[in-house]
Amino acid sequence: MNGRVLRIELKRSIAPWPAVVVLGGSLAIFCLIDGFWWRGTAGWTAQWTSMALWTRSLLAFWWPLVVGMGAVYGLRDSRSRMAELLTTTPLPAWRRAALPAGATALTLVSGFGLLVVVGGVQVALGPTTYTPLGWLPISLVAALALVAGAVFGMGVARALPSVLTPPALVVSFLMLTGLLLRQNSDGAVPSGMAPNRLAQLSPATVEPREMLLTLSGSVHLGQTLWLLGLLATGFALLSAVTRRARLLAVLPVLAGAALALPVLPAAARDTYVVDRAAAALVCDGPVCVTQANRSRLPELAPRGKEALRVLHEVLGDKAPNSVREYTRLRALGDTRELSRDVVPVDFSDRLLADATGEKLTRALIAQGLAPSCYAYNDQEGGGQDGVAVQSVAVSWALHDGRLQPLEERGSDGYAREVWANADAAWRRLTALSPAEQRSQIAKVRAGSYSCSADQLAVLAGKASR
């Protein structure tokens, strides 16, 4: 297969179209739709690993389509009624099969590679300075899955030359991928409905939610073995000219599955694992962040030290003595594990995500005075009650003349009621003596650590503990 023949094949066949679908469709989703992939520390352009996982999560859609498009390509000879003529040529069958398979592989790898390049450029131009190599196997296995799926579709269509073969393959792979990918991603670690080893036969991943999670090495190895078997079966079917050869072509995929299943993790906690290098702490005095967010430390360190100074002034010996990024894995909706000695920093929190300067200092003081047990982000939501309580506490600690909200007040009915209670709480708090004010703030802080939900009502004088 020389370059001239390959160029002709690319011009006169549908080989480029699967790559166009993967590249164009993925960019349309990521760039034209405002979704979770643009927000938080696990956004698709926030870190290298999350970028690789987001691009690979779309294989839930593209993999079945690529298999079907490969099947359409594989019907070319039967549609043109040249199958018998080609079998009489002296060129070996495997060499005839190498041309469409090679053209498809080249375009798919190029298309998916361009998608990764687009995401990688945005990550490189972003604030992160953490550049691991662990994301490469995630993307390489995805590219292998696309090539193996397309070649498998071509081989099946060559063996079963019917107009029903492409749609049947698309529907079958959609159902199979959907069944294997039915996972509960709300937990601390994604867990599937199907047995974990079988679930990993699907190359698609769940949408990343935790920045520190990645796929384990055993997943990469097991999926590579399985996909190589699928690729070999597809190529064997594509080049088979006898019934015996077609029957023997099934052996590679069976061997790949037999080798892969013992290697793939049996438990979900061994599939998605914490990237320990990314989770390692980097400190500037009492202020620490993960290696993955090291670029935030120069801004966070002086603000964190200032926040600790203010907290020590208003809380005395009960004040926290360090600022640390929160790294514990937890399920959606679960409470955080808080420590009275530590100011927790979660960069997925709306108040901290893009905060700089004085706004960052106020947010850190808020986390030290009235830390929230519940996340306040786009994925989990979180009410404004906690923000209102924190706003009252911070305004008191910084001796503001009036209540300074940590974020803009909402305009809906619920938000108006919350901030009306916050204004009442502020007036009631500032009317007390200094000793009574400290006592009220101490009660609020204690309620925060016990995950009580009525601090704002207590401050406003509308409830009692």
Side-chain angles (χ1 to χ4, degrees):
M1 183 173 60
N2 56 44
R4 178 174 172 271
V5 174
L6 181 60
R7 286 194 299 271
I8 294 174
E9 183 72 12
L10 292 174
K11 288 180 181 179
R12 299 182 179 180
S13 71
I14 68 167
W17 286 105
V20 171
V21 169
V22 171
L23 176 60
S26 299
L27 291 179
I29 292 174
F30 284 138
C31 299
L32 300 181
I33 300 176
D34 184 18
F36 290 138
W37 45 84
W38 280 114
R39 302 185 183 96
T41 55
W44 93 285
T45 59
Q47 300 285 348
W48 289 97
T49 300
S50 60
M51 180 274 295
L53 288 173
W54 271 113
T55 54
R56 186 160 159 181
S57 69
L58 295 184
L59 262 61
F61 309 105
W62 306 143
W63 198 47
L65 286 178
V66 164
V67 173
M69 296 180 78
V72 173
Y73 195 2
L75 290 176
R76 180 178 60 176
D77 292 348
S78 64
R79 287 200 312 268
S80 60
R81 299 179 181 179
M82 294 178 57
E84 292 185 7
L85 176 62
L86 292 174
T87 57
T88 62
T89 61
L91 191 67
W94 70 267
R95 292 191 60 182
R96 292 198 306 271
L99 180 60
T104 302
L106 178 62
T107 57
L108 278 172
V109 171
S110 299
F112 186 78
L114 282 175
L115 174 63
V116 173
V117 167
V118 171
V121 168
Q122 295 187 67
V123 174
L125 295 177
T128 184
T129 57
Y130 179 63
T131 55
L133 295 178
W135 67 273
L136 280 173
I138 300 174
S139 295
L140 291 175
V141 171
L144 174 61
L146 290 171
V147 173
V151 175
F152 181 77
M154 295 167 67
V156 172
R158 181 69 62 84
L160 302 172
S162 168
V163 293
L164 298 178
T165 299
L169 282 175
V170 172
V171 172
S172 299
F173 272 72
L174 273 174
M175 293 177 61
L176 177 64
T177 303
L179 179 64
L180 296 181
L181 198 62
R182 287 182 61 190
Q183 297 195 7
N184 176 21
S185 59
D186 295 344
V189 175
S191 57
M193 308 298 181
N196 195 70
R197 285 195 170 102
L198 289 178
Q200 297 313 307
L201 295 180
S202 168
T205 60
V206 297
E207 298 173 350
R209 182 174 60 84
E210 292 281 357
M211 172 195 65
L212 299 176
L213 284 182
T214 187
L215 291 174
S216 65
S218 57
V219 174
H220 300 319
L221 177 58
Q223 290 182 337
T224 299
L225 293 172
W226 149 248
L227 292 170
L228 286 176
L230 189 69
L231 175 62
T233 288
F235 188 78
L237 288 173
L238 190 60
S239 57
V241 293
T242 65
R243 180 175 297 180
R244 182 171 179 272
R246 294 189 184 99
L247 292 175
L248 291 176
V250 182
L251 294 179
V253 71
L254 296 178
L259 292 173
L261 287 175
V263 174
L264 292 169
R269 63 178 179 274
D270 297 322
T271 301
Y272 291 89
V273 296
V274 173
D275 185 343
R276 299 192 180 279
L281 291 180
V282 181
C283 300
D284 182 345
V287 182
C288 300
V289 297
T290 61
Q291 187 71 251
N293 283 319
R294 185 171 188 167
S295 59
R296 296 178 181 262
L297 189 58
E299 170 72 17
L300 184 68
R303 296 296 172 180
K305 294 172 184 176
E306 174 64 16
L308 290 176
R309 184 191 65 78
V310 173
L311 290 170
H312 183 73
E313 286 181 357
V314 298
L315 296 176
D317 295 338
K318 296 182 179 180
N321 50 38
S322 64
V323 177
R324 290 178 181 268
E325 183 175 353
Y326 190 87
T327 58
R328 294 180 183 270
L329 300 179
R330 59 181 183 79
L332 280 175
D334 275 3
T335 58
R336 294 170 172 152
E337 296 182 22
L338 302 174
S339 169
R340 294 177 183 269
D341 297 327
V342 177
V343 176
V345 174
D346 184 351
F347 290 113
S348 292
D349 193 303
R350 295 182 195 175
L351 300 180
L352 290 166
D354 302 312
T356 57
E358 184 63 25
K359 186 177 180 181
L360 178 57
T361 303
R362 297 179 72 89
L364 292 173
I365 295 172
Q367 291 297 324
L369 284 175
S372 175
C373 287
Y374 300 94
Y376 186 57
N377 55 41
D378 292 303
Q379 284 190 319
E380 298 178 77
Q384 295 190 24
D385 303 68
V387 178
V389 172
Q390 291 179 338
S391 299
V392 172
V394 173
S395 297
W396 170 81
L398 295 177
H399 310 291
D400 294 331
R402 60 187 180 87
L403 176 61
Q404 300 282 356
L406 290 172
E407 68 172 5
E408 292 185 9
R409 302 185 182 211
S411 58
D412 59 88
Y414 172 73
R416 286 197 297 270
E417 180 182 356
V418 167
W419 288 105
N421 288 335
D423 290 330
W426 174 251
R427 291 191 297 269
R428 183 171 182 270
L429 179 66
T430 53
L432 300 174
S433 66
E436 291 174 322
Q437 291 178 15
R438 288 179 179 272
S439 176
Q440 283 290 92
I441 294 297
K443 291 180 181 179
V444 169
R445 189 163 186 259
S448 297
Y449 285 103
S450 63
C451 299
S452 176
D454 63 346
Q455 291 100 303
L456 183 59
V458 170
L459 279 175
K462 296 185 177 181
S464 59
R465 296 189 190 280

